């Protein structure tokens, strides 16, 4: 075990795990901090639960749904470093601008900037980790995601101390300064856009790049060359025959748009989403789960404060939740590392969360809330990792970037819906208990989806 830990720390994957930890720590920390500052922001900007729900929903949404565009840009090796450093700069910038906001619209806009920066950093690091992590991907990914647990307790605790001294604006400004640690970490990561980086990785004795990775890379490069040659031939035909593409006999001509349409249909038929329809169910599962994820994280603190729990006791509650969140993410990495299938653990975690949410809604006891918040955090934190692992296990390795970016787009939509619906429900029923009842119904629907996936295991292609 000590030898494996030493390999992880000294590997090229470790800087990626570190920046993932910092990013996730800041992401959930900002959500919890806005809950702590909600009363003060309300006095300054007259913010309602719906307003804060929209702002946090946009923050979480922009942390995910620009992923397809970022993934497409990331394939251009010459701009990878620029993308990563730009995202690391945008994350703290948005929080700093939020500290000087004068309207609810500005708060939502500035938090969206932070979310977009988080999305850029996330896509760049996860796509790089997918390439270099090899067989330890599950464990490394889980370790990086433990930042959610740390940020859930440390940043709100620090934010409360800052609020007593500098107010909510000064607190957000100082927190944005702490988030700038992303920038030197981003600068220190060696991406494939660096000169001789790829050849250097292949020459190192402890390089995680396998022969299969090299073969896949060579095949990909050959496909790119073939596409370029094919495009040149098509452009020649277009120049010779106008807007028609002629066959070998030269008698029958088809309009250019028909060939383009045929290509699109062919691409769809060759995609994982068409060849394996259950992959679409996994996308819907992750979308629905992130509605639950965003709603629970956004309104856990306001729900506790509405029940008359003090700030001190609320921070203790977030501490117990953070312990559960961190433990579950590490446990998922260990259990799924050639031991248990992620789908089975996801099913168990969902059942556990339904019980915890029901107890939290119908029993108003602080000590029970300590336990239920910890259990819910364990379930939600572990399921967040499991959803990504289920997708990676189901998708084709060479098409993972497509499935990943599409999944992140729908996760962003789910996070926005979670924040908006949670805030609207609390406003409509004048209680955050209604929000948690809604989350319970969403969890039941998730249980149905994961049961469908359990009944349809991945076919053995070997």
């Amino acid at each position: 075990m000590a030898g494996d830990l030493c390999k992880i720390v000294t590997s090229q994957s470790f800087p990626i795990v570190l920046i993932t930890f910092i990013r996730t720590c800041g992401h959930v920390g900002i959500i919890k901090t806005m809950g702590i500052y909600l009363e003060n922001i309300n006095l300054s900007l007259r913010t309602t639960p719906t307003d804060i729900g929209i702002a946090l929903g946009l923050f979480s949404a922009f942390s995910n749904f620009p992923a397809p565009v970022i993934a497409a840009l990331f394939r251009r090796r010459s701009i990878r470093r620029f993308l990563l450093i730009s995202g690391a700069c945008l994350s703290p910038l948005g929080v700093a601008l939020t500290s000087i906001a004068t309207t609810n619209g500005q708060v939502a806009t500035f938090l969206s900037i932070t979310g977009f920066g988080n999305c850029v950093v996330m896509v760049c690091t996860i796509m790089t980790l997918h390439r270099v992590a090899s067989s330890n991907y599950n464990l490394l990914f889980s370790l990086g995601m433990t930042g959610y647990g740390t940020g859930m307790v440390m940043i709100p605790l620090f934010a409360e101390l800052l609020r007593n001294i500098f107010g909510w604006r000064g607190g957000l400004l100082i927190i944005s300064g702490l988030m700038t640690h992303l920038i030197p970490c981003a600068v220190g990561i060696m991406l494939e856009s660096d000169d001789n980086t790829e050849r250097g990785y292949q020459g190192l004795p402890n390089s995680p790049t396998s022969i299969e990775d090299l073969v896949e890379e060579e095949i990909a490069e050959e496909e790119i060359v073939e596409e370029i040659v094919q495009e040149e031939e098509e452009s020649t035909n277009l120049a010779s025959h106008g807007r028609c593409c002629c066959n070998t006999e030269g008698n029958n001509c088809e309009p250019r748009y028909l060939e383009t349409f045929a290509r699109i249909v062919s691409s769809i038929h060759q995609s994982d989403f068409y060849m394996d329809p259950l992959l679409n169910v996994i996308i819907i599962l992750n979308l629905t789960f992130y509605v639950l994820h965003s709603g629970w994280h956004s309104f856990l603190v306001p729900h506790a404060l509405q029940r008359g729990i003090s700030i001190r006791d609320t921070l203790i509650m977030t501490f117990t939740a953070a312990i559960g969140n961190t433990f579950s993410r590490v446990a998922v990495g260990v259990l799924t590392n050639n031991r248990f299938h992620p789908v089975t653990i996801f099913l168990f975690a969902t059942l556990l969360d339904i019980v915890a949410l029901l107890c939290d809604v119908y029993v108003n006891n602080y000590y029970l809330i300590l336990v239920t918040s910890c259990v819910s955090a364990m379930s939600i934190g572990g399921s967040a990792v499991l959803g990504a692992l289920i997708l990676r296990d189901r998708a084709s390795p060479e098409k993972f970037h497509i499935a990943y970016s599409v999944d992140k787009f729908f996760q962003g939509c789910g996070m926005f819906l979670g924040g908006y619906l949670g805030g609207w429900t609390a406003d409509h029923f004048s209680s955050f208990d209604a929000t948690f009842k809604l989350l319970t119904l969403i969890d039941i629907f998730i249980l149905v989806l994961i049961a469908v996936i359990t009944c349809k295991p991945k076919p053995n292609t070997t």
Side-chain angles (χ1 to χ4, degrees):
M1 186 67 180
D4 293 338
L5 182 61
C6 181
K7 285 183 179 180
I8 292 174
V9 173
T10 57
S11 69
Q12 293 129 11
S13 304
F14 182 73
I16 304 173
V17 174
L18 180 60
I19 195 172
T20 302
F21 177 86
I22 296 174
R23 175 187 63 81
T24 54
C25 183
H27 179 97
V28 75
I30 290 300
I31 294 177
K32 292 295 183 285
T33 297
M34 295 300 290
I36 294 291
Y37 289 169
L38 180 58
E39 182 179 355
N40 300 85
I41 296 175
N42 183 29
L43 294 176
S44 299
L45 308 179
R46 295 184 179 180
T47 303
T48 65
T50 301
D51 293 329
I52 201 66
I54 292 174
L56 293 178
L58 287 173
F59 167 66
S60 297
F62 273 91
S63 296
N64 290 276
F65 74 68
V69 177
I70 304 303
L73 293 174
F74 185 78
R75 300 190 68 180
R76 301 179 61 89
R77 298 188 180 187
S78 59
I79 64 173
R80 288 178 178 178
R81 177 164 293 278
F82 172 77
L83 277 177
L84 180 58
I85 296 176
S86 297
C89 293
L90 287 175
S91 293
L93 176 63
V95 179
L97 291 174
T98 304
S99 68
I100 61 174
T102 56
T103 65
N104 292 318
Q106 290 179 357
V107 171
T109 302
F110 296 149
L111 286 180
S112 298
I113 294 175
T114 296
F116 180 77
N118 284 344
C119 182
V120 174
V121 174
M122 175 191 65
V123 172
C124 294
T125 53
I126 296 302
M127 297 306 294
T128 304
L129 184 65
H130 171 70
R131 178 175 176 80
V132 304
S134 185
S135 60
N136 290 324
Y137 178 88
N138 288 10
L139 181 58
L140 293 170
F141 180 76
S142 300
L143 289 175
M145 299 294 278
T146 56
Y148 281 110
T150 304
M152 190 183 297
V153 61
M154 295 303 296
I155 293 184
L157 179 62
F158 188 57
E160 174 62 15
L161 296 175
L162 293 175
R163 183 181 68 165
N164 296 330
I165 302 174
F166 302 104
W168 72 271
R169 295 185 184 274
L172 284 178
L173 187 61
I174 294 174
I175 290 173
S176 70
L178 294 176
M179 292 177 63
T180 56
H181 286 86
L182 281 171
I183 300 175
C185 290
V187 172
I189 291 180
M190 298 182 65
L191 298 173
E192 294 174 3
S193 59
D194 299 329
D195 295 336
N196 301 323
T197 297
E198 187 174 354
R199 291 192 295 272
Y201 279 0
Q202 296 172 6
L204 290 174
N206 293 327
S207 174
T209 306
S210 62
I211 296 176
E212 289 80 6
D213 292 332
L214 301 180
V215 172
E216 290 177 5
E217 181 182 353
E218 291 177 0
I219 294 175
E221 291 176 354
E222 291 175 0
E223 290 176 351
I224 293 173
V225 173
E226 291 176 358
E227 290 176 359
I228 294 174
V229 172
Q230 186 177 4
E231 290 176 358
E232 291 177 352
E233 291 176 353
E234 291 171 356
S235 62
T236 303
N237 291 335
L238 182 60
S240 301
H241 303 288
R243 294 189 171 218
C244 294
C245 295
C246 298
N247 58 11
T248 55
E249 297 178 356
N251 297 325
N252 298 324
C253 290
E254 296 181 354
R256 177 82 174 176
Y257 71 86
L258 290 180
E259 183 185 0
T260 303
F261 178 75
R263 279 189 187 179
I264 294 174
V265 172
S266 178
S267 299
I268 294 174
H269 287 175
Q270 295 176 4
S271 67
D272 283 352
F273 299 103
Y274 183 85
M275 299 178 67
D276 185 8
L278 201 68
L279 193 63
N280 299 295
V281 180
I282 296 175
I283 298 294
I284 297 173
L285 169 70
N286 285 337
L287 184 152
T288 309
F289 167 74
Y290 275 93
V291 175
L292 170 73
H293 182 283
S294 178
W296 188 83
H297 277 291
S298 298
F299 298 104
L300 173 65
V301 172
H303 182 228
L305 296 177
Q306 186 184 62
R307 286 189 164 186
I309 300 175
S310 65
I311 290 288
R312 173 181 170 276
D313 290 339
T314 301
L315 291 174
I316 295 174
M317 182 189 67
T318 60
F319 177 73
T320 60
I323 293 175
N325 190 290
T326 303
F327 171 78
S328 66
R329 292 176 188 271
V330 175
V332 163
V334 174
L335 293 175
T336 59
N337 203 27
N338 301 321
R339 287 179 175 83
F340 296 96
H341 198 276
V343 175
T344 305
I345 305 176
F346 199 119
L347 181 63
F348 174 76
T350 304
L351 288 170
L352 201 62
D353 191 45
I354 292 174
V355 175
L357 287 175
L358 288 174
C359 292
D360 193 39
V361 168
Y362 292 106
V363 181
N364 188 3
N365 181 278
Y366 173 69
Y367 297 102
L368 180 64
I369 291 176
L370 284 177
V371 177
T372 56
S373 61
C374 180
V375 172
S376 290
M378 288 176 60
S379 172
I380 293 174
S383 297
V385 177
L386 290 166
L389 298 183
I390 292 171
L391 180 74
R392 186 173 186 263
D393 178 70
R394 194 84 188 194
S396 302
E398 66 277 5
K399 299 177 182 178
F400 170 70
H401 64 284
I402 298 175
Y404 173 79
S405 58
V406 171
D407 181 62
K408 283 299 176 183
F409 172 82
F410 285 102
Q411 284 183 21
C413 296
M415 283 192 163
F416 174 75
L417 287 174
Y420 173 74
L421 291 177
W424 180 86
T425 303
D427 259 351
H428 184 74
F429 293 96
S430 300
S431 173
F432 288 107
D433 284 339
T435 299
F436 274 66
K437 291 178 182 178
L438 174 65
L439 296 180
T440 305
L441 294 176
I442 294 172
D443 228 346
I444 294 173
F445 181 66
I446 292 173
L447 182 64
V448 174
L449 292 175
I450 196 64
V452 172
I453 297 173
T454 304
C455 297
K456 286 277 198 176
K458 181 179 180 180
N460 189 4
T461 57
T462 57

